[in-house]
Every structure is written in C-alpha cells, then in structure tokens.
Amino acid sequence: MSSAPIIEARELHTYYDASHILHGVDFSVRAGEAVGLMGRNGMGKTTLIRTLVGHVPPRRGELKINGQVMTHAAPHLIARQGIAYVPEGRGVFPNLTVKENLLMAACPRPDQQCEWNFERVLEIFPRLAERLAHGGQQLSGGEQQMLAIGRALMTNPILLILDEATEGLAPLVAREIWQIIKSVRDSGIAAIIVDKNFAALSALTDRNVILVKGRVVFEGSGEELKAKPELLHQHLGI
Amino acid sequence: MFYLIQLLNAVQYGLLLFLLASGLTLIFGIMGVINLAHGSFYMVGAYLAYWLAKLTGSLWLAIPIGIVIAFAIGLLLETAIFSRLYKRDHLYQVLLTFGLILIFEELRSILFGDEVHGVAIPALLDYSIPLTDTLSYPVYRLFVTAVCLGVAGLLYFVIHKTRIGMMIRAGTSNREMAASLGVNIPLLFALVFAVGMALAAFAGTIAAPISSVFPGMGNQILIICFVVVVIGGIGSINGAMIASLAIGCADTIGKVIAAEYSAIAVYLVMALILLWRPQGIANKA
C-alpha cells in the first residue's frame, strides 16, 4: 500500500446546477483513520461525500485518491480504489434478495486478498444470514443498514463512508450498528462517518470536521471539540 | 383442433413479441431511454435474413450473422449517440429515435426497394404436421416457438442467476449505488443496449419466413411492443413475458371471434390490465 493518503481533496467547489454548495473544502483521510463529518442539515456534508465518491464532480479543485488524481473519475473507478459508500437512505436494492445484494458487490481487489467474503460478512451479521432469500424491501430499517454495511464490506474497502447510518433507528438497533462500526474500525478500515449522535461519533473518530455553509470551520480531535462547547452549541445544536 | 392451432399461434406470436419487448423494457427500465427505433431493428433483422439468406443460400447462416451485425450496430449506436442522451429529457430521445426510424426506412428503401419480399423456410423444417383430414400445423412455427422459449429461458437464467444479471437488476433500481459498488455502468448500458438490439433483430430474422419482409414492418410491431412493456411493468422481464402471452392470446382470439374488430382486442386487454394494475403486472402500485 502506498503511503499517500487515501483521500486528499483540495479547494473543492461543488455546485448543484447554479447553487454553489461547497466553497473550497480541503479534506483528507489517511490509511486507517476515522474522520467524523459534522454540521447541521444543508451545510454540505452529503454533497462533500457525493463529490468524493464521484457522483457530483467538483467544478473546481482537485481530488486525489491513493495519490492519483481522480477529480472527474467515474464512480465505479473510485469504488475500485477501495472506497465503499453507504449512503443516507442505505441504497439497498429492493428488487434483489439479501444474498444477491451482497454477492453483486463482491469485487476482489487485484492488489490484495479478499479478506471480506460472503461467509465473513454473514459472521458479523447473523441477522442477515437468516434472511438471505428475502427481498431487500422486506427488511427492517436496522437490517437494511446491516445489509448496506455488509455489502460495502464485500467490496473489500480500505475506506468506508457512512452517511447517517443510525438515522431513524430505534436506540437499541442504533447501538448495535455502532458496535458493528466499531468492529469494522478495529479491523483497520478507515472511515468517514456522518452522524448526529456526537457522543457516539466522537468516541470512534480520530479527527472531526465541522462544515458550515460549505466551508470547514473546525478540524480537530473529539477532546479539542469538547473543550469548545460554544462550537458544539453554535454548529451542532448541542 | 381448430382451437389448438389458434392457441399455438397465439403462443408463438406472444413469444416473438417477448423477444422484442424484453429488450425494449430492459433499455427503458435500466437506462430510462425511450427507443422508438426498437422496431426498426426488427425490420433490420428481417431484411438481413432476406439478404443474407439470398447471399449464403441458407437461413441457418443468415440468423447468426444477422445477430452479430445487429449487435455491432447496437453497440455503435449506443456509444456514438445514445450515451449522450441519458441525462437529457425524454423529448430529445423521442426526437432522436424517431429520426433513426426515418433513416432506417430510407436506407431500406435505397438498398432493398419498396416491394414485399419472401424468405424461404429452410428445407429441413418446410413441412406440416397433419392434425385432422383438413387441418395441419407448420413445423417452422413450432420451431420459432421452441427457439423463443429457449431464448426466454436463457434470458431468465442470465438475469436471475448470474452476477451480471444481479448488476443489471441493481442498475435498474439504483444506478448510482450500483456504480459506487464498482459496477461499470456505461459498459453495462452499452452491452444491454446492444443485446436488446440483437434480440429485436433476431426476432426479425426468425419471423421473416412467416411474416414476409416489407416496408414499415418495424413500426407496426413497435406499437404492440410498447403495449407489452407498459402492461408488463416497465423494466420487468417477467412482466414482459406474461404481457406478451396475454397480448398474443388477445390478438389471436380477437381475430377468431370478430375479425373486423380484432385490432381493438389488444387495447381492450391493455385498458383492463391497467385499470387493475396501473403500474403494470409486475410492479405493484
């Protein structure tokens, strides 16, 4: 593996048609690092993620992945660099069974062995193993989230991006998802995590970034952030 | 016996429609492209059968060569033209593909003239099975039915049992998500498009000995194909299968019961099915 950061973005300016969403965002993730992405709704978190995975190419700025310039690369090429994306709303394919949702994503990366295969994913998600023949639309919210994470792991990623993974889940189910995220982290996979639960999030992340109106206003550890309650209050409503 | 013959005809016509409609529904479902030129490929297939059979002296050679040519034209059209229109409004797609219909018709007129041509049934299958003293059934129609069933089975297998089929279905429901899992969507689209074109042309080649080869044959069948796609449920192969057979039966039964009103039967069935399921047979509202 190269020593270059997995993601290194500089001066990203992203637009939706005429509206200017990201105003020169610098963002990076190193191998094995967990970054929390915070901010109120509409501040550009999801747009930043969609820019990083190639769904909304930036109008200006540069995006390097594993040291290669991929500013305008197609999403599947970015995915094949080991970037796995679990979007808000989970993106489970409703017309595929649970098993098919997992198998369609299995993608052996040429430079390493497939650590994450069907059997291993089912080991950490025993609930999915019971529902392999079910359609994606028949699952509960928590199960859909497990499927979306399991499917992302099937691609054998080096970076997992989770956008609002616990949103809309009952507290017990959300805790289960946090457990899973923690075990994924322990296996050495880097992560970008967007979540409203500051306490749970900052317990897992090495570094946190707060976005306000498409600009980075804070970057630092959870401890540093806790030391600035006015920032938490102003930008996260805590 | 008379009814057995009608039933066989209905199934044969329905399965032929399925070959056409399956490609149309996949292209519409996965790429969101309205391809009015789909029927033109049916015509292209029929004329290729006519031309290649004359050239090589054998329909058996004409069919595979015709499929390969149609696949290549499909691939070329997709990469050169269609891929630029995926993000445009449906109106642009309708205009473009309507233009393609005119181009294909003009080319046909220049290359083959405006007469009706016949294609000989291969000698191997050119006989009929006697059913009663006066009624018999042509073996070639049975052959067409069997081949269509085979292709439908193959299609079902690919779509439902293989990884590429999973990717196609995933792409139909959520293109972006599929891409983010490493699926090369542009390549997948080009392949699906070309396969759809090849299927339409294949339907044209094997139908040529039955229906003969004539100007405007693509447009006639295109409308029926859209009926099948709409009542089957857009993007659904299984729905297209059921709808094709329903339309095949409606058309045939309509012709038997009241020949002068038979054109209405198909649309009557469409109206009834859409009243029952506005999203089509396969898609629940």
Side-chain angles (χ1 to χ4, degrees), chain A residues 90 127 140-146 165-166 168-180:
Chain A
R90 295 142 198 157
R127 288 259 286 279
S140 70
E143 288 165 342
Q144 282 190 24
Q145 194 61 57
M146 292 176 195
T166 63
L169 298 181
L172 267 178
V173 184
R175 198 183 301 163
E176 206 174 332
I177 298 291
W178 281 116
Q179 278 301 322
I180 289 161

Side-chain angles (χ1 to χ4, degrees), chain A residues 16 81 101 116 126 129 141 157-158 160 189 191 198 222-223:
Chain A
Y16 281 127
Q81 285 289 325
N101 264 283
W116 291 94
I158 55 172
L160 184 63
I189 297 174
F198 173 74
E223 295 306 316

Side-chain angles (χ1 to χ4, degrees), chain A residues 40-169:
Chain A
R40 291 178 191 265
N41 287 336
M43 292 303 175
K45 302 185 301 279
T46 296
T47 304
L48 174 57
I49 286 173
R50 285 170 55 79
T51 301
L52 298 179
V53 298
H55 290 318
V56 202
R59 211 170 280 183
R60 295 196 298 281
E62 187 187 63
L63 171 62
K64 276 189 190 167
I65 295 176
N66 295 326
Q68 298 175 40
V69 177
M70 301 195 80
T71 315
H72 297 281
H76 71 273
L77 295 177
I78 292 177
R80 288 176 191 180
Q81 285 289 325
I83 314 295
Y85 174 40
V86 178
E88 201 175 357
R90 295 142 198 157
V92 164
F93 301 116
N95 54 341
L96 269 64
T97 63
V98 169
K99 187 177 180 183
E100 289 172 336
N101 264 283
L102 292 172
L103 287 183
M104 66 80 59
C107 179
R109 284 159 25 79
D111 59 335
Q112 71 173 46
Q113 300 218 312
C114 284
E115 253 184 90
W116 291 94
N117 54 26
F118 188 61
E119 288 74 27
R120 177 150 176 221
V121 167
L122 290 187
E123 257 171 49
I124 59 166
F125 298 107
R127 288 259 286 279
L128 295 181
E130 296 162 17
R131 297 184 163 263
L132 285 178
H134 285 61
Q137 84 283 12
Q138 292 169 293
L139 302 183
S140 70
E143 288 165 342
Q144 282 190 24
Q145 194 61 57
M146 292 176 195
L147 178 54
I149 295 173
R151 188 179 59 179
L153 291 174
M154 288 291 285
T155 66
N156 283 277
I158 55 172
L159 168 68
L160 184 63
I161 302 178
L162 296 157
D163 193 355
E164 302 280 12
T166 63
E167 191 179 40
L169 298 181

Side-chain angles (χ1 to χ4, degrees), chain B residues 1 103 113 116 120 127 150 169 176 181-182 197 219 233 245 251 270:
Chain B
M1 268 314 154
I103 291 170
V116 175
Y127 62 94
R169 281 180 290 141
E176 273 193 358
L181 290 163
M197 295 297 97
N219 305 339
L245 291 173
D251 185 73
M270 173 168 88

Side-chain angles (χ1 to χ4, degrees), chain B residues 156-184:
Chain B
Y156 181 87
F157 177 79
V158 170
I159 300 261
H160 289 278
K161 302 288 173 201
T162 66
R163 258 194 83 192
I164 191 133
M166 292 175 201
M167 290 177 186
I168 290 171
R169 281 180 290 141
T172 312
S173 81
N174 192 338
R175 208 183 298 178
E176 273 193 358
M177 194 64 237
S180 270
L181 290 163
V183 178
N184 185 343

